[in-house]
Amino acid sequence: MSVATVWRLLKRHGWPWQAPARRALERDEHAVELWKKEVWPRVKGSRRSPGRGSSSRTRPDSR
């Protein structure tokens, strides 16, 4: 499901949009910036390339 679809479903069922009123006092800005610079690029770039085959267990891979 897309984010928009999930949002519509939640809204339809009466779930309110929520956001934190303030930043956490325990937030370590230095650690956040370090994570953004060092860890996030590795995580973001680690997607697997689409390969052959089916993700279905019931349908055999047609080769």
Side-chain angles (χ1 to χ4, degrees), residues 2-33:
S2 70
V3 174
T5 303
V6 172
W7 169 241
R8 273 187 245 118
L9 286 171
L10 291 173
K11 190 175 179 181
R12 184 183 307 154
H13 292 285
W15 288 64
W17 178 80
Q18 296 178 354
R22 59 179 175 73
R23 288 200 188 265
L25 294 174
E26 300 85 6
R27 183 177 167 111
D28 183 356
E29 292 295 334
H30 177 69
V32 171
E33 289 303 317

Side-chain angles (χ1 to χ4, degrees), residues 2-3 8 10 12 16 19 28 36 38 44-45 47 50 53 57-59 62:
S2 70
V3 174
R8 273 187 245 118
L10 291 173
R12 184 183 307 154
D28 183 356
K36 283 181 185 177
E38 295 182 7
K44 184 178 178 185
R47 291 185 178 179
R57 290 183 175 183
T58 59
R59 191 177 75 197
S62 59

Side-chain angles (χ1 to χ4, degrees), residues 51-61:
R52 282 183 53 167
S54 171
S55 61
S56 172
R57 290 183 175 183
T58 59
R59 191 177 75 197
D61 186 16

